Structures are given as structure tokens and as C-alpha cells.
Amino acid sequence: MDWSLFLQHMVNAISLGFVFGLVAVGYALVYGVVKLVNFAHGDVFMMAAYFMFYTSLIFGAPWLSAVILGIVLTSLLGVGIEKVAYKPLRKYPRINSLVSSIGMSFLLQNFAVVVFGGIQRSFPVPEPMKKTIVLGEVRIQAVSIYTIIFSIIVVLILTFILQKTKTGLAMRILSRDFDTARLMGINVNRTISFTFALGSGLAAVSAVFWALRYPQIFPFMGQYPGSRAFIAAVVGGIGSLKGALIGGFVLGLLTVLIPAMFPEYSGYREAFIFLLLVLVLIFKPNGLFGQEVGEKA
Amino acid sequence: MKRSTRIMLSIMLIIIVYIFVFFAEKYMDPFIKRILNTGFIYVILAVSLNLINGFTGQFSLGHAGFMAIGAYTSALLYMSPESKLSNFFMEPLISPLDKIHIPFFWALLIGGLMSALMGFIVGAPSLRVRGDYLAIVTYGFSEIIRSLFNNLQNITNGPLGLKGLPTYTNLWWTVSWAIVTIIVIRRIVDSSYGRALKAIRDDEVAAENLGINLFKHKVLAFVVGAFFAGIAGGLLGSLLMTIDPNSFSILFTYQIITIILLGGLGNITGSVIVAIGFAFLMEALRFVEMPMKIFGITIPGILGMRMLIFSILLMITILFFRQGLFGQREFTWEGFFRLFTKRKVSQ
């Protein structure tokens, strides 16, 4: 492989990695606070894409306002899902919420099939995003650059919320111990709602960048990025935002580089990635970059 | 009630079931027979997954993967060499699989054993990861299997799958295997192994301190569960006459989990009843996707409605029937006769 081709692959890997990372950050945020393996994250992501698609279609809204409206609607959806599907199960074993999130994922997919139809629709991509920048022999899509810039901004904002605001502090306490948090006078329900709003909003933001990259939306589009997010978050160290971003990056590298370097094994890419997940969980359950959080039961 | 009486009654019940099977095979509508076959395959799957998830408390999402192994292994053994030849036109099937042709029963058994071997491999990590992490690991394993089967063109025919499988599966096979599954798992659960499994489910640390070998028991549950999942996969392949890797996706595991949740975790009776009911319900729900005519107004069928209703039912079960429909109430002969005699039975 020559140098420019390698660079081209690296550029693709990094930009894909940031998209995965961005989905994973929303997922890891919810996991970190509520300790819920949220199988429905990918489907909230899918709903976000449809919200944006329909708001821009129905209201003929300008692109940016459709995106903002989409993010708001998705946040509300996330809060609603938590109220309906997770809150009633909070005092039961965690496995109940896990099954509930599987059911929710299933429900959202089938809801989308019935309401939006099972066919693929093309997502509107604004002109400036379609550009490609050529540097020497390396081609970079404008979308990739936007993705990287926005991912970094989003993670910085999140870090600020978590570290500097009162709600952020409440979320961090909640991630340690629910009962103590309640004793400290923290409104647990409100904080959890906020967490879900934030996590779903992040899913919506990542859905924008995903849909710009692959401008096809369909009811099952959330499965692939959803499972990637989940692997990225586990590999990077579940519950850690930085870990999720790095995990996404590792996945991006694997996804692009395996077929590029070993074309004869490209079909086994999925197997490799899931094998990585299984091995990390078995030998380093706290992830490659996560800190020790005690027994994972 | 004496133990021998209970055994006699059980044997009589089995004989009655077989008389029913005899007449059903002869006179029943093929459509209903097909649903019943599916129902009994669901029984095998649900009872075997219940051993892992319900009795041992090891939340596994890997059942579809075990099924896939059983389905493919047995299909490659019982298909005739000519039929294999017509399937593998992209790349030929590797030797000696292309020449092997053995009876259905042995093919099923080998499929089950291969799946049990996989159960051992998947069960081993359950010592290191617990709870929802184990769920993710088993999900990962199931996806790895699917990915491998999609790519091993010269063994599984890749995404094209296998077509034209001979239909050996009938009620004799499915009912017999369902009975074997129920008896074997009931025997395990009622033995000292079963008590150890339940102890692990209720408190792993305490169980270990009591001297229960965690590894041995957890792996036992996985191996037995996987064996029967493999058998069910083999039966299903021959019933549907076609298999491909994507029909064994996580969706299938969800369906089985729905069945055991509805029937009650750790409740074999519940799993059996719900599994058969589920097979009929899934057929009945097909009607919502067909166009209907009410008072002269035609309502077009909505595609996907069946699965939407199914997922709503799943959510209702998870949220409102946390103990399942049957809770912990198992079928026993004593309980059965108590239904008819009004006498108070002293506990």
C-alpha cells in the first residue's frame, strides 16, 4: 500500500471513528448514570433521523431549524421512553431494564415500519456538505471535517455540563449511588430525565452526521450504529465519555483498515469486531481506558 | 401421592399425547400441523433457554446462535449429496461433507452435540462476566457465529443459505423432542444440580461459599441448554426447508425470551403453554396485515402491524407481568387433582 492510499484510509477511518464515537458518547452517558445497557439507543437515533426528515419535509423548514427541532423532539422521546419503559422497573434487578430496552428497541423499529413505511428514503443533504476537499492525493469530504469539529465541541460541552454545573454534579453522584443521592436532596427523577434528554439529544446529533454520510434512512438503520456504539462504549471503558470516543475511533480504524489491508478477510470484519468486544469484556471488563469501578454485577 | 403413581400418570399423559399425534398426523389440516410443529419447536427452545436464564440466572442472548449451529450441522449431514451439489454453485462444499448422508436422527444428534460444544465455549466466560455484561458477551458470540456463517462459503454457502432441505420434521419428531427436553430439564432442575443452579441464581457469592462449583454448574446449564437449542434448530431447518444465516438473528432470541418471560422465569409449565400459544398467536396476528372488509369499507392491510402488536405485547409483559402469566406455579399431578376434589389438602 502506498503512502497516499494509507493516508486516505486513515482519513476515512478517523472520520468514521468520530461518527461511531459520537453515537457511543450518548450511549455511554446513559449507561454511566443509570447503569442501563440501552439497546434502544440505536432506535432513538433512527427516530431522530425520521423527525428531521419529516420536519424538513412538512414544514419545508430550513435545514438547520429542522435539525434543531429534530434534536428537541428526540430528547422528548428519550425522556418519554424512560418514563414508560425504565422508570417502573428501577427497583427491580437490572436485567429487567435490559429486557425492557430490548423490547423498546423492537417497538420503535416496528412502529417506524408501520408509521413511516419500510422503504428507504433519501435524507436531504445541504450543498456545503456535499463538497470534497482534495489535499494532494487525499480526498476529504466536508461532512467528515464537520463531524470531527462538532464531535469535539459536543464532547467539550458535555464535559463542561458534567464537571461544572449542578445538574452535572447530581448526575455524577447518581452514577455512584441512587440512595445516597436521594439523601443528599438530589431530585433523582429529574436528573435521570435530564440524562435521558441529553443522551437522546446526542443520539440525534450523531444521527445528523450519520445521515449526511449515508443519506439513506429506513426503520432498521439504527441497528448497525447502535451495536457499534455499544461495542465502542464497552471497548473504550463503559461509562467514560472519553473512552467512548476512543472506542469509536478504534472501531473506525478496524472497520476501514481490515478490508483495506486484508481484502480476502473483509467478510469477517463483523466477526473480528465482535470478537474484540467479547475479548475485552472477558479480560478487561472495565474497558481499555476505563477506570476500576468495582464489581460488575 | 406416591412416586410410582406420579410416574404412571405421566406415562399415561404421554401416551395420550401420542394418540393425539397419531390422529393429528393423519387427519389434521397441514396448516394447523405446521403451526403445531413450530409450537413444539418453540417449546424445546423456551424450556432450554429457561434452564440458562430462568433457573441459573445467567442471562444469555445466544440462543439463536446455538440454533444456527444445530440447524447447519444437521442439514449438512442429512441432505442428500445431489441436493448439496445443486446448492453450492458459487463454491463447492468441502470434502468430506459433500459425500456424507446420514439419517435424520443422527444428524440432529450431532447438530445438538456441536451446539453443546459451542455452549461450553460460551459458558466458560460466564465465570468472569456477570449480569448484563454476560448478556452482551453471549450476544457477541451469536453475532460472531452469524458473521462466520455468512462468510464460510464452502461450508455454509454464505448468505445464500441452504435450500431444498428434505422435510423430515413432523409432529412425531417435534413432540418427542419436546417431551425429552421437558423430562431432561425437569430432572436436572429437581435434582441436587437444580438446587445448586437456583442457589447460583439467587446469590452467587453465597452459593460459592457453600461449596457449589460455579464453573461446573454454569457450564452445565449452558451445555444442556445449547444442546436442545441445536436440536430445535435442526428440526426447524427441516420444517422450513430452507435456512440462511440471517434467519438466526437476535430477533429469534428475543422471541424466545418473550416466551419465557410470559411463562415466568424458571417455570417450565409456563414456557410450554406460552410457547404453543405464541406459535398460534403469531399466525393469528397475520390477519391484521391482510386487507379487511368491515361494513363495505375496505381497510387496507398495514405491513409490519403484526410485529408492532407483538412488540407492544412484549412491552406489556415486561412492565406489568414481571412474574410472567404463571408465576412460579408449576404443573404437578397433586395440583391437577386438587382442581377436581374440593377437599382441603394439608401441606
Side-chain angles (χ1 to χ4, degrees):
Chain A
M1 200 187 312
D2 65 3
W3 187 236
S4 65
L5 192 62
F6 177 73
L7 266 183
Q8 179 69 64
H9 284 312
M10 283 310 281
V11 167
N12 294 346
I14 292 171
S15 70
L16 183 64
F18 268 101
V19 184
F20 284 150
L22 203 53
V23 193
V25 166
Y27 172 82
L29 181 77
V30 169
Y31 185 87
V33 177
V34 206
K35 299 282 175 292
L36 167 73
V37 178
N38 191 1
F39 272 87
H41 191 72
D43 305 289
V44 170
F45 169 101
M46 171 272 297
M47 291 296 285
Y50 272 101
F51 284 149
M52 288 165 197
F53 176 79
Y54 279 103
T55 40
S56 71
L57 200 76
I58 295 167
F59 302 116
W63 197 78
L64 197 63
S65 51
V67 166
I68 292 171
L69 200 59
I71 294 174
V72 172
L73 285 174
T74 314
S75 294
L76 291 175
L77 175 74
V79 174
I81 289 174
E82 196 272 330
K83 289 264 182 283
V84 173
Y86 305 142
K87 196 178 165 207
L89 299 173
R90 218 180 274 160
K91 47 187 185 299
Y92 293 91
R94 262 164 61 194
I95 242 30
N96 286 43
S97 320
L98 175 82
V99 180
S100 186
S101 82
I102 292 174
M104 209 60 226
S105 149
F106 211 26
L107 181 61
L108 288 176
Q109 283 172 12
N110 293 308
F111 174 81
V113 171
V114 169
V115 175
F116 306 134
I119 49 158
Q120 297 207 341
R121 290 159 189 276
S122 50
F123 191 78
V125 178
E127 279 308 314
M129 297 281 183
K130 286 182 181 162
K131 278 195 197 118
T132 307
I133 299 155
V134 184
L135 283 176
E137 287 175 57
V138 180
R139 302 165 64 84
I140 308 172
Q141 288 174 296
V143 180
S144 303
I145 296 171
Y146 283 109
T147 311
I148 295 171
I149 295 172
F150 270 92
S151 310
I152 294 170
I153 293 176
V154 163
V155 173
L156 287 178
I157 294 174
L158 259 184
T159 319
F160 175 79
I161 293 175
L162 281 173
Q163 300 294 335
K164 303 285 180 206
T165 65
K166 252 189 155 165
T167 322
L169 182 67
M171 284 163 73
R172 280 185 292 144
I173 297 172
L174 220 57
S175 74
R176 294 292 167 95
D177 191 337
F178 269 45
D179 293 324
T180 315
R182 203 171 276 125
L183 288 176
M184 306 292 278
I186 290 169
N187 187 334
V188 173
N189 286 335
R190 208 169 58 201
T191 314
I192 290 180
S193 292
F194 181 74
T195 309
F196 269 87
L198 212 57
S200 311
L202 277 169
V205 175
S206 41
V208 180
F209 289 108
W210 185 273
L212 289 176
R213 227 185 136 85
Y214 309 104
Q216 293 286 325
I217 61 175
F218 52 99
F220 301 101
M221 68 181 280
Q223 278 181 338
Y224 177 72
S227 74
R228 277 319 98 110
F230 168 103
I231 299 171
V234 171
V235 168
I238 203 155
S240 135
L241 300 187
K242 222 185 325 164
L245 212 54
I246 298 171
F249 185 72
V250 171
L251 279 193
L253 275 180
L254 283 179
T255 310
V256 172
L257 292 186
I258 290 176
M261 288 165 60
F262 313 102
E264 64 273 29
Y265 293 115
S266 63
Y268 295 101
R269 192 172 66 193
E270 297 298 294
F272 276 124
I273 287 172
F274 276 100
L275 191 66
L276 174 75
L277 166 83
V278 171
L279 291 178
V280 167
L281 269 175
I282 293 173
F283 295 107
K284 230 174 163 328
N286 293 316
L288 298 177
F289 308 97
Q291 66 264 74
E292 195 68 38
V293 286
E295 172 92 320
K296 302 254 171 169
Chain B
M1 196 181 284
K2 269 194 291 187
R3 188 181 147 78
S4 56
T5 330
R6 281 206 303 266
I7 291 174
M8 280 305 292
L9 283 167
S10 300
I11 290 171
M12 272 165 58
L13 180 68
I14 291 171
I15 292 170
I16 293 169
V17 169
Y18 275 111
I19 293 171
F20 165 74
V21 169
F22 175 78
F23 283 105
E25 272 299 330
K26 256 197 161 136
Y27 303 111
M28 203 177 255
D29 179 50
F31 178 63
I32 306 279
K33 256 198 303 201
R34 193 186 165 88
I35 302 175
L36 270 179
N37 272 318
T38 320
F40 283 110
I41 292 172
Y42 281 147
V43 169
I44 305 173
L45 287 166
V47 173
S48 59
L49 186 62
N50 215 342
L51 178 71
I52 306 173
N53 287 16
F55 288 104
T56 323
Q58 305 296 304
F59 203 84
S60 162
L61 291 176
H63 234 48
F66 297 140
M67 278 177 76
I69 290 182
Y72 270 95
T73 311
S74 55
L76 287 173
L77 293 174
Y78 65 67
M79 279 170 81
S80 67
E82 301 81 58
S83 145
K84 281 179 199 169
L85 201 66
S86 67
N87 260 296
F88 288 81
F89 51 84
M90 298 271 286
E91 263 181 66
L93 182 62
I94 51 159
S95 185
L97 276 174
D98 55 350
K99 291 175 209 72
I100 294 178
H101 185 201
I102 61 173
F104 188 51
F105 175 78
W106 297 109
L108 273 185
L109 206 62
I110 295 171
L113 289 174
M114 280 294 282
S115 178
L117 182 71
M118 191 64 200
F120 180 79
I121 297 168
V122 178
S126 67
L127 204 63
R128 294 193 62 120
V129 285
R130 303 204 170 114
D132 38 15
Y133 283 77
L134 183 65
I136 301 174
V137 168
T138 49
Y139 164 65
F141 269 115
S142 155
E143 286 297 302
I144 290 172
I145 291 169
R146 199 155 66 95
S147 169
L148 288 181
F149 282 12
N150 258 321
N151 287 287
L152 293 168
Q153 195 81 42
N154 51 7
I155 302 176
T156 63
N157 206 20
L160 296 169
L162 302 173
K163 288 182 186 69
L165 272 58
T167 35
Y168 294 115
T169 303
N170 55 27
L171 282 173
W172 294 105
W173 286 107
T174 51
V175 168
S176 306
W177 275 110
I179 290 173
V180 171
T181 313
I182 294 167
I183 291 175
V184 168
I185 288 178
R186 190 81 191 255
R187 295 285 291 161
I188 291 178
V189 167
D190 288 342
S191 70
S192 65
Y193 283 109
R195 284 191 289 279
L197 296 181
K198 287 177 212 159
I200 292 172
R201 171 188 68 188
D202 294 338
D203 191 335
E204 215 171 299
V205 180
E208 196 173 16
N209 287 338
L210 282 171
I212 291 171
N213 184 338
L214 289 187
F215 184 74
K216 189 175 115 187
H217 287 93
K218 285 182 181 178
V219 166
L220 173 91
F222 269 101
V223 168
V224 175
F227 174 78
F228 285 113
I231 299 279
L235 289 170
L236 190 73
S238 174
L239 179 71
L240 301 177
M241 297 161 73
T242 164
I243 48 176
D244 67 274
N246 295 326
S247 50
F248 298 105
S249 71
I250 190 77
L251 191 73
F252 215 106
T253 308
Y254 290 168
Q255 294 189 354
I256 309 304
I257 286 178
T258 311
I259 293 174
I260 60 174
L261 285 178
L262 261 173
L265 277 173
N267 183 336
I268 294 175
T269 318
S271 293
V272 173
I273 297 170
V274 174
I276 294 173
F278 185 83
F280 277 95
L281 179 74
M282 288 308 271
E283 280 311 313
L285 281 179
R286 278 188 202 283
F287 287 106
V288 297
E289 291 189 2
M290 288 172 187
M292 274 180 283
K293 222 173 183 162
I294 300 174
F295 303 120
I297 307 160
T298 315
I299 304 167
I302 304 163
L303 219 65
M305 203 60 186
R306 180 170 78 115
M307 291 318 272
L308 180 61
I309 292 177
F310 167 67
S311 40
I312 291 171
L313 286 178
L314 174 63
M315 281 315 290
I316 291 174
T317 319
I318 295 166
L319 292 174
F320 300 108
F321 298 96
R322 279 183 291 268
Q323 296 294 313
L325 296 178
F326 297 88
Q328 291 300 317
R329 290 191 296 278
E330 281 280 6
F331 174 83
T332 55
W333 285 115
E334 285 88 345
F336 181 69
F337 287 112
R338 222 174 299 153
L339 289 177
F340 301 106
T341 51
K342 289 275 189 262
R343 267 181 300 131
K344 226 181 150 100
V345 180
S346 57
Q347 292 288 321

